[in-house]
Amino acid sequence: MWKYKRRIVPAVLAALGVALVAYAQQLPPPREAQEAMRRHRERTRGTVTAQEALFGVLRGLGVPGGFVLSPQCEEEERQTPPGGSSLRERLDSLVAAAPQYKWQAENGVVNVVPKSGLPALLEACIVRFRAESVRSPGEALVKLIETPEVREAMTRPDVGSRLFRGGVGYYDPNPEASESVKTFSVSRDNVTVREALNAIAREHGRAMWTHRQHHCRGVHAFELDFAVW
Amino acid sequence: MTYDIRALRDKQVPDENGNVLPPEATRGHFKWSVILGEEDDEQLVMIGRAEHFDAAHAMSSSYACASCCPDSTVDSYVTPFFTVEVFADDIVDFDAVEIKEDCYGDRYDSIRTFNVSWNSSDSEVTSVNSSGTVTALNGGESDIEAVFSGRYYYTQECVPQYRPEAGDATHDIQPNLPGCGACRFDPATQRPRGRLRVKPRITSITPARGLIGTATAVTIRGRSFGSNPSVIIGGMGVTYSGSGGSTTQLTGTLNVAADATIGDHSVQVSNKGQRSNAVNFIVQLPTRLVPFDIPDRTTNGKGPVVVIDNGDIVDLSGNVRATNQCGVYQNVAYVLVDQAGQRIVQPYTLIEEFAFNAQPSQTFNLPANAIITDIHSRSRTAPACLGFNEHDELVQGFTVVAGTSRFDLTTLVSIRVGDFMGTRNVFVEISRP
């Protein structure tokens, strides 16, 4: 009996390992992926989430900004792209279609935030924030997250750790000849995280930050990233 | 009067047209004329005469030709006879051909090699030197004119004289009467013309491809664009607006409409009605992404799968995107290609969107020549880390916005990234139907 156990246990473990690898590698077949994307595009084409709407408005008018998603676990509701010709008209249109939000402008930076209030992380106060000669808002964001105050905030259960899920960028094979290497600096004392984010967006001029708090399915984390145009 | 024909041959004495007797000539027909001086009506005319004496046989004969004037210039033309179409910098040799008529009324063509002046009717289009060599300069049409002085000879009529002793009237030549039977001439200035059509020549257009729905700054290089060139674009939906240039280079913008015909559009430069050769400008339709290898960073478009417990997430440009992360990530790189698989290098806006696990779409402006990069990641700031089996399952699609038009790419990327039953990994499959 014992000798059989010595053979069966490794065999079961090996089978489990193979099954695990097979499970992990199980990507949707191309046809299924195509069909999923087709349905997604069909469902979403011509509409935008509030976050996408704000990005479109700010990008179109060249105004920096920031967006704070309402804490929710479901997919964001969609709306038609905001109408109007002025920034104010478009922002009014945006929040009219997404009444859980309000917009505010501070020193040339537009923020769309939940009416229910700001997440704790964005209210955290930073004594000294320096981002010298950075090449992108993302680089400045890394320095912001490294500040002791943000580090401390991430230990709080209502904030959680930063969840990083990557994102699209570009590689410039000839960066010396590119205008994209312009650097900028941000220096602020005694500001909240939101104000520091706004300062980064303002100094860069063509950026929007987005904060999203997760308290869903056991995940307590936040996402904080910049999108540029 | 005696002419030593052998001496004329041996000394290579030219005739009035500059021609000489072939040195090896030993026989042939020798035709000559003596004309009355232009300035001196009193100069006596001489006619050709040959006297043969055979003293041994006590015979003699005398031959005299009627007064035969030099061959007259009756018409002319230039060669090439028909209009010639050439490109800039081409060289064409023109000849002036004189149509001459001898005293028997026979005509022949003779290339005029002396005392010919040449003119171009449009010095912007062509230049011509004293030998009739024409250089095409700029697009347009130009007449090439040869000018030379010809002469039309005629014999001075003799006054019929009545000779009572012979009882008849005669038209015989009376050489000793001034003017009678002498050759006289009228000027017969010739201005034959040929025509040259000069076409501008395009050697290159840079760039030779442009994204649909956008404006592409282009440089057209070549020759002979002239002083007022226009650019003609074939096909539908592409127009040119010039911003500057010279006879060898034009700079401007090719505006490609959102509904422009995909593929080749001929580009020609026209000046003064003459069109150049055609070169192609290709309108590119964004079609798909192709994995791109950045040396030492990606293979088949993918970087290594990096599992980190407390490390930095670094993108393909070397930028730290997040610090002190615990999780897993993989960099990927693509380039956007058109319907023919050619890379699109103009700036455009890229939207990535996700099916299955819906994340917000991301809109990104890509500069010229940029390589698209993406990080597939799921990580948290340490000391936190991914939970057991915490992962994302995504199907990623891309849309390119060019101008006001959107183009859904066929490329789809299936991604699974994160923790799988306690093992962190990234699985990426790129499908490009």
Side-chain angles (χ1 to χ4, degrees):
Chain A
M1 185 63 186
W2 174 242
K3 86 178 170 184
Y4 289 119
K5 274 187 182 175
R6 289 181 64 186
R7 288 181 185 172
I8 290 169
V9 170
V12 169
L13 289 175
L16 278 172
V18 169
L20 178 63
V21 170
Y23 162 74
Q25 292 180 338
Q26 191 178 11
L27 293 164
R31 189 179 296 274
E32 190 178 325
Q34 283 176 48
E35 181 58 23
M37 185 54 68
R38 187 194 65 75
R39 282 198 307 270
H40 170 77
R41 284 173 170 159
E42 194 175 86
R43 184 171 57 84
T44 60
R45 191 55 31 104
T47 62
V48 289
T49 64
Q51 177 193 349
E52 293 164 352
L54 179 64
F55 186 79
V57 169
L58 299 182
R59 179 170 174 259
L61 298 175
V63 178
F67 187 88
V68 182
L69 272 89
S70 291
Q72 62 182 49
C73 299
E74 290 73 35
E75 190 179 337
E76 284 277 293
E77 291 179 2
R78 305 186 71 84
Q79 57 176 273
T80 55
S85 54
S86 68
L87 177 62
R88 177 176 295 274
E89 287 173 345
R90 293 186 194 185
L91 292 172
D92 286 343
S93 171
L94 188 158
V95 296
Q100 70 274 34
Y101 293 108
K102 64 180 181 181
W103 69 267
Q104 56 196 49
E106 292 175 13
N107 297 325
V109 181
V110 171
N111 287 167
V112 172
V113 299
K115 287 178 179 172
S116 56
L118 288 173
L121 174 68
L122 299 183
E123 303 272 42
C125 187
I126 299 169
V127 175
R128 176 185 165 87
F129 171 53
R130 297 288 183 273
E132 305 287 346
S133 300
V134 293
R135 292 172 296 177
S136 67
E139 196 176 335
L141 176 62
V142 166
K143 293 182 182 300
L144 178 62
I145 291 176
E146 287 175 343
T147 58
E149 294 87 346
V150 174
R151 288 288 182 191
E152 194 279 330
M154 282 194 282
T155 63
R156 295 164 51 178
D158 57 341
V159 174
S161 56
R162 182 191 182 196
L163 176 63
F164 183 75
R165 300 169 85 183
V168 172
Y170 67 87
Y171 170 79
D172 190 343
N174 189 15
E176 300 305 317
S178 173
E179 293 182 0
S180 62
V181 294
K182 287 178 182 171
T183 60
F184 63 98
S185 299
V186 183
S187 175
R188 295 289 188 279
D189 293 334
N190 299 315
V191 291
T192 65
V193 169
R194 185 179 65 87
E195 289 166 339
L197 291 167
N198 281 344
I200 295 169
R202 187 185 305 112
E203 294 300 332
H204 182 268
R206 295 175 289 108
M208 184 183 101
W209 55 266
T210 301
H211 177 275
R212 182 176 194 179
Q213 189 71 51
H214 294 271
H215 293 296
C216 305
R217 292 178 282 277
V219 175
H220 299 284
F222 68 91
E223 289 182 74
L224 185 56
D225 282 300
F226 270 94
V228 299
W229 58 86
Chain B
M1 184 176 289
T2 304
Y3 288 104
D4 184 347
I5 294 173
R6 181 179 288 108
L8 292 175
R9 181 197 67 184
D10 294 343
K11 293 178 182 175
Q12 292 290 284
V13 177
D15 67 6
E16 61 167 354
N17 292 334
N19 299 320
V20 296
L21 290 170
E24 67 278 8
T26 56
R27 54 185 297 181
H29 177 74
F30 191 79
K31 191 166 73 173
W32 54 276
S33 298
V34 174
I35 63 170
L36 196 64
E38 295 176 45
E39 307 299 331
D40 184 4
D41 281 348
E42 299 303 314
Q43 185 177 332
L44 297 180
V45 70
M46 190 188 74
I47 61 171
R49 179 184 295 273
E51 299 287 348
H52 290 245
F53 299 95
D54 187 345
H57 296 90
M59 291 178 63
S60 69
S61 61
S62 177
Y63 307 92
C65 58
S67 176
C68 194
C69 292
D71 297 343
S72 293
T73 304
V74 293
D75 204 351
S76 60
Y77 61 91
V78 297
T79 59
F81 188 79
F82 297 104
T83 299
V84 180
E85 289 189 348
V86 296
F87 285 107
D89 292 338
D90 284 351
I91 288 174
V92 180
D93 284 322
F94 274 73
D95 284 319
V97 180
E98 194 174 9
I99 300 176
K100 303 194 83 168
E101 184 178 271
D102 65 17
C103 61
Y104 302 107
D106 294 329
R107 292 190 174 190
Y108 63 95
D109 294 350
S110 172
I111 294 176
R112 177 88 174 200
T113 59
F114 62 99
N115 290 343
V116 181
S117 64
W118 293 90
N119 302 307
S120 164
S121 66
D122 191 335
S123 59
E124 186 195 341
V125 177
T126 57
S127 69
V128 56
N129 68 11
S130 60
S131 302
T133 299
V134 178
T135 303
L137 299 177
N138 286 302
E141 199 168 88
S142 165
D143 284 343
I144 305 301
E145 181 187 64
V147 182
F148 60 89
S149 299
R151 289 175 170 178
Y152 184 80
Y153 291 99
Y154 60 94
T155 306
Q156 174 109 353
E157 283 195 26
C158 293
V159 177
Q161 295 192 1
Y162 178 67
R163 293 192 295 184
E165 65 276 21
D168 60 2
T170 178
H171 286 274
D172 287 349
I173 296 167
Q174 303 295 316
N176 293 328
L177 294 176
C180 176
C183 286
R184 295 192 178 277
F185 67 86
D186 290 331
T189 300
Q190 300 296 305
R191 295 182 177 276
R193 287 184 166 207
R195 180 163 288 188
L196 212 62
R197 288 198 188 107
V198 180
K199 295 177 173 298
R201 186 199 299 272
I202 300 178
T203 55
S204 69
I205 179 169
T206 310
R209 294 181 170 82
L211 181 58
I212 191 168
T214 63
T216 302
V218 293
T219 300
I220 302 170
R221 291 186 177 85
R223 303 285 297 167
S224 307
F225 295 159
S227 57
N228 188 26
S230 58
V231 175
I232 302 158
I233 312 294
M236 279 177 50
V238 183
T239 58
Y240 177 84
S241 54
S243 57
S246 64
T247 59
T248 58
Q249 180 173 304
L250 301 177
T251 54
T253 303
L254 282 174
N255 302 294
V256 183
D259 59 351
T261 310
I262 306 301
D264 291 348
H265 290 250
S266 65
V267 178
Q268 291 177 287
V269 173
S270 174
N271 190 56
K272 296 187 174 179
Q274 296 304 310
R275 289 191 183 191
S276 71
N277 57 312
V279 294
N280 272 334
F281 179 80
I282 300 168
V283 171
Q284 295 181 289
L285 180 73
T287 305
R288 59 195 170 98
L289 299 181
V290 174
F292 185 81
D293 283 345
I294 302 172
D296 302 325
R297 300 187 192 189
T298 59
T299 302
N300 295 324
K302 298 177 186 174
V305 172
V306 182
V307 177
I308 47 176
D309 292 319
N310 187 356
D312 296 341
I313 293 180
V314 183
D315 68 18
L316 288 171
S317 298
N319 299 318
V320 175
R321 299 285 295 273
T323 55
N324 302 106
Q325 293 292 296
C326 179
V328 62
Y329 75 96
Q330 183 177 34
N331 281 300
V332 293
Y334 310 98
V335 289
L336 175 64
V337 300
D338 66 10
Q339 68 281 2
Q342 295 294 318
R343 203 175 144 187
I344 291 173
V345 297
Q346 273 108 358
Y348 57 89
T349 299
L350 183 73
I351 300 172
E352 67 163 349
E353 53 193 337
F354 299 93
F356 282 163
N357 183 356
Q359 287 187 40
S361 67
Q362 283 192 38
T363 302
F364 210 82
N365 288 350
L366 284 130
N369 295 307
I371 293 152
I372 301 164
T373 61
D374 201 357
I375 301 178
H376 301 313
S377 169
R378 183 144 182 127
S379 67
R380 299 221 229 159
T381 308
C385 201
L386 302 182
F388 182 77
N389 215 22
E390 176 186 333
H391 58 259
D392 284 326
E393 296 182 6
L394 309 164
V395 172
Q396 182 186 34
F398 300 91
T399 298
V400 167
V401 180
T404 57
S405 300
R406 298 167 63 104
F407 303 93
D408 292 336
L409 306 185
T410 57
T411 300
L412 295 177
V413 184
S414 297
I415 307 155
R416 285 162 65 84
V417 54
D419 183 278
F420 301 91
M421 312 289 279
T423 302
R424 282 173 268 163
N425 213 335
V426 184
F427 305 99
V428 177
E429 185 173 307
I430 303 164
S431 64
R432 289 166 289 144

